[in-house]
Amino acid sequence: MHLFTQTIRFCYLCVTFTFGATTSKLALGQLVAGFSEIVDTTMVQRQLDANLFINGRWEEGKAGSQPNIDPGTGEAVGVVTLADAGQVQAALDAAQRAFPAWSALTGQSRGAILKKASSLLADRAEHIAEGLLSESGKTRGDAIGEVRRTIETLAWNGEEAGRISGKIHQGVVAGSIRLSVPVPLGVVLAITPWNFPAVLVGRKLGAALAAGCTVILKASEFTPHTARAIVQTLIDAGVPDGVLNLIFGDPAAISRQLMASPLVKAVSFTGSTSVGKQLAALAAPNLIRPILELGGHAPVVVWDDADVENVVHVTAPAKFGSAGQSCVAPTRYLAHYSVHDALVDALVAKAETYKIGHGSEHGTTLGPVAHAGRVASFLHLVEDAVAGGAVIKTGGKKLDRSGFYVEPTVLSSVPRDAKILVDEPFGPIATVQPIETIDQAVDLANASEYSFAAYVFTDSIGVRDELVRRLNASNIGVNQTAPSLPDVALGGLGNSGYGYEGGTEGVLAYMHLRLVTQSQG
C-alpha cells in the first residue's frame, strides 16, 4: 500500500504545486477518488484530519479532499478537504467584514488574545507535536522544539501588539506637530509551507493579528492538521469570527483568485523563489504588499584557525535537523585547505551517527524527507554531482524501507558547475570545497543566486569583519548558527526574498505609517 500512497503524494505535488500551471480539477478529482476507493478507512489511524475554517465555523471543503500522508510510513493518517472558489470568496468576505472591529481594538486587547493563545498552545504542546511529527516526518525533538518556538512567537507578538506606537515630530509651522501613526493595512493573505508548519504559521498569524489585520491563512496540504490545531488555539483564545480564516486547496488557483481582489492588502509567503516571483507578479496590479521569505543555499566558511570539531558540533543540528529541509540550513562548506580533510572526516563521522527512522521510534535522530518528490530531487543532485567527478564520502542513497528516507550525505571534490551548488538541495546533504584565500571564499560563497544565510568560523577579527562585509547574505552567523527568533527582524535578500518577519519590523510590515500634520484651530 505504501508504494501507492507515495505515488499519490508525488502526483499531487506535480499537479498542484507547479505554480502557474493549469490544474485539471477533473484529473485531480479522479486521482483522489481512486485513492479513496483503495484505502480502507481503518488505515487512517491517527485521524489527522483538517477542514476549512471560515467566518467562525469549521466546514468541509467542496473541491474534494486528499490524504494526509505520514512521510515516515508512506501511509495516510488523515484527510484534508479542499476549498472551492465560492469558499475562498467567503473567507475573503468574512475577513473584510471583520476588519473594522478588529482593527479598532487596542493593541493591548489584541495582544491579550495572542498571549492567551500562547498559553493554550503550551498546554497542548505535546499533543500538537505528536501530530506534527506524524504528518511532517520530523523527529520528536524537532517537533517539540518547533512547537516551543511557536509558543514563544505568539507570546512575543502578544507583547509587541501593545508596544507598537507612532512618533511625534516637530511641525514646520509654529504651533504645529506632525504625527507618524501606524494603522493596519487590512486583509492579509498568509501562505505557509510544510517544512515548519507550526512556527511559520505562528510567525505570520502572530504579527498580522498583532498589527490589527484580518487573515486568510492558506496552509500547506502536506501538514494540514498542525495548521488546524494552531488556528483552533487562537479561536479558543478569543479571536472573533471572520478575523482568522483557514483554507486548503490548489495553491495557484487560490492565489490568483485572492490576489485579483483589491480587498487583499498584503501577502506573506514562505517558499520557493520561483513561486515567490510569480506571487510578486500577481501582487503588482493591485499593489499588494509582498513579504517574501524564499530559497536559501547557505555557505559555511571555515578558516584555518577554526576548531573543526566545534564547526560540526554547531552546524550539524541545522544541517541535518528536519532532514535538512530549511532555507537557512548550512549546505556548502568552504574549508581552508589546511583543515579541509579534517572537516570532511568530522562531517562524515557525524553523519554516520544519525539513527534514521520514524519520529515515533525511540532514539530516532533523523527522519524522512517530506515526500517522494524530495527523494527524487535528492537522488538527481547526487547523481549529477558524481557524474561530474564528485566523491560520495558517506550516504548518497535512498533507504529501502517504507516512507521517504534518504541517507545523510557528504560530498567532496564537487565540480563548480554541479547542480547541487546551484539548486537549493533542501535535504540532508552537504558539500565540502577547499579554499585558500578570502577572495576565493567570497567568490564561491556569493556564486549562488540565493542570499539568505551564511556562516563564518574563525578566531580572527580581521577575517571575520571582511567576510561579514563582503558576503552576500541577509542572515550571518559567526562561530554559531543564526536562528530566526521572534524579537529581531529577519528578511531575505535578492532571490531569497524581501520584507521582514520578526521584531517590531515584522509587525509594521502589516501596517501603514500615516502622516498626520496638524496645527491649532
Side-chain angles (χ1 to χ4, degrees):
M1 175 62 73
H2 72 277
L3 291 176
F4 181 77
T5 55
Q6 288 181 24
T7 302
I8 288 290
R9 192 177 182 88
F10 182 68
C11 288
Y12 184 79
L13 177 76
C14 294
V15 170
T16 65
F17 279 73
T18 303
F19 196 95
T22 301
T23 302
S24 170
K25 293 184 178 179
L26 177 60
L28 181 59
Q30 291 172 339
L31 186 68
V32 174
F35 182 88
S36 300
E37 291 175 4
I38 294 175
V39 178
D40 190 277
T41 55
T42 59
M43 178 181 163
V44 185
Q45 298 174 355
R46 290 299 307 276
Q47 289 298 318
L48 299 184
D49 297 340
N51 288 324
L52 318 179
F53 187 77
I54 299 173
N55 198 27
R57 70 183 186 91
W58 294 98
E59 60 181 78
E60 288 190 8
K62 298 178 181 178
S65 64
Q66 73 171 74
N68 184 7
I69 303 297
D70 181 341
T73 64
E75 304 291 353
V77 290
V79 173
V80 54
T81 64
L82 313 175
D84 68 5
Q87 291 173 309
V88 172
Q89 184 62 46
L92 176 58
D93 293 341
Q96 179 65 15
R97 286 194 303 269
F99 175 69
W102 179 249
S103 60
L105 290 178
T106 64
Q108 288 83 352
S109 297
R110 295 192 297 267
I113 293 175
L114 290 172
K115 287 184 284 186
K116 183 177 180 180
S118 174
S119 178
L120 291 175
L121 189 58
D123 294 338
R124 304 171 187 179
E126 184 175 346
H127 173 73
I128 293 175
E130 286 296 319
L132 193 160
L133 176 157
S134 292
E135 66 181 3
S136 73
K138 291 180 185 286
T139 63
R140 190 177 304 278
D142 284 342
I144 292 174
E146 183 176 344
V147 174
R148 287 174 179 168
R149 288 176 61 195
T150 310
I151 293 167
E152 294 171 357
T153 298
L154 291 178
W156 190 88
N157 280 284
E159 293 290 343
E160 187 67 6
R163 291 192 292 254
I164 292 293
S165 59
K167 293 182 179 180
I168 300 177
H169 302 268
Q170 184 177 356
V172 295
V173 178
S176 69
I177 59 172
R178 291 173 294 160
L179 308 175
S180 179
V181 184
V183 294
L185 288 175
V187 177
V188 171
L189 170 60
I191 307 175
T192 56
W194 44 261
N195 59 328
F196 288 95
V199 74
L200 291 177
V201 166
R203 185 185 299 171
K204 294 182 190 302
L205 295 185
L209 294 175
C213 293
T214 54
V215 184
I216 303 168
L217 171 62
K218 162 57 187 73
S220 171
E221 293 73 29
F222 288 99
T223 49
H225 185 266
T226 300
R228 168 194 164 184
I230 294 173
V231 167
Q232 185 65 62
T233 300
L234 284 157
I235 299 307
D236 292 343
V239 172
D241 293 354
V243 170
L244 173 56
N245 304 273
L246 171 64
I247 57 176
F248 302 100
D250 176 5
I254 289 174
S255 298
R256 285 195 296 267
Q257 179 180 348
L258 288 175
M259 296 178 69
S261 171
L263 299 180
V264 175
K265 301 302 182 183
V267 57
S268 178
F269 169 75
T270 299
S272 72
T273 296
S274 60
V275 173
K277 289 180 177 180
Q278 293 176 67
L279 285 172
L282 288 176
N286 285 320
L287 295 179
I288 296 170
R289 182 181 296 182
I291 304 156
L292 307 175
E293 183 183 306
L294 307 178
H297 205 338
V300 185
V301 180
V302 184
W303 203 242
D304 60 0
D305 58 351
D307 181 335
V308 167
E309 294 295 333
N310 183 58
V311 171
V312 174
H313 173 74
V314 170
T315 61
K319 171 65 268 176
F320 298 108
S322 298
Q325 298 169 123
S326 168
C327 55
V328 296
T331 55
R332 299 173 291 136
Y333 287 78
L334 309 175
H336 193 274
Y337 73 91
S338 62
V339 297
H340 174 273
D341 292 350
L343 179 64
V344 170
D345 291 343
L347 271 173
V348 168
K350 180 62 179 178
E352 293 178 348
T353 66
Y354 284 95
K355 180 181 177 182
I356 304 174
H358 195 281
S360 63
E361 298 171 3
H362 179 70
T364 293
T365 53
L366 182 66
V369 292
H371 49 71
R374 296 273 14 112
V375 175
S377 176
F378 170 90
L379 295 175
H380 173 69
L381 291 177
V382 171
E383 291 166 1
D384 173 78
V386 171
V391 177
I392 299 176
K393 306 301 289 188
T394 189
K397 298 189 294 295
K398 176 186 183 296
L399 271 64
D400 185 18
R401 60 173 290 175
S402 298
F404 312 118
Y405 294 93
V406 296
E407 296 175 327
T409 300
V410 178
L411 301 177
S412 67
S413 303
V414 181
R416 186 160 180 175
D417 61 349
K419 290 182 180 178
I420 195 168
L421 298 181
V422 178
D423 299 340
E424 183 178 19
F426 227 61
I429 184 169
T431 64
V432 187
Q433 298 169 271
I435 56 171
E436 187 171 358
T437 66
I438 291 179
D439 285 345
Q440 188 179 20
V442 171
D443 177 51
L444 290 173
N446 291 347
S448 169
E449 69 169 5
Y450 301 108
S451 310
F452 205 175
Y455 307 98
V456 174
F457 287 84
T458 180
D459 286 336
S460 167
I461 295 176
V463 171
R464 176 201 68 191
D465 289 350
E466 185 167 359
L467 285 171
V468 168
R469 178 176 62 84
R470 296 175 62 186
L471 287 175
N472 189 26
S474 62
N475 182 24
I476 300 176
V478 179
N479 296 321
Q480 65 171 53
T481 53
S484 54
L485 300 176
D487 61 330
V488 177
L490 173 65
L493 183 67
N495 277 317
S496 290
Y498 48 70
Y500 296 95
E501 292 190 309
T504 300
E505 294 85 353
V507 178
L508 289 175
Y510 300 101
M511 306 187 85
H512 172 72
L513 294 178
R514 176 178 292 164
L515 176 61
V516 180
T517 304
Q518 63 183 48
S519 299
Q520 294 179 352

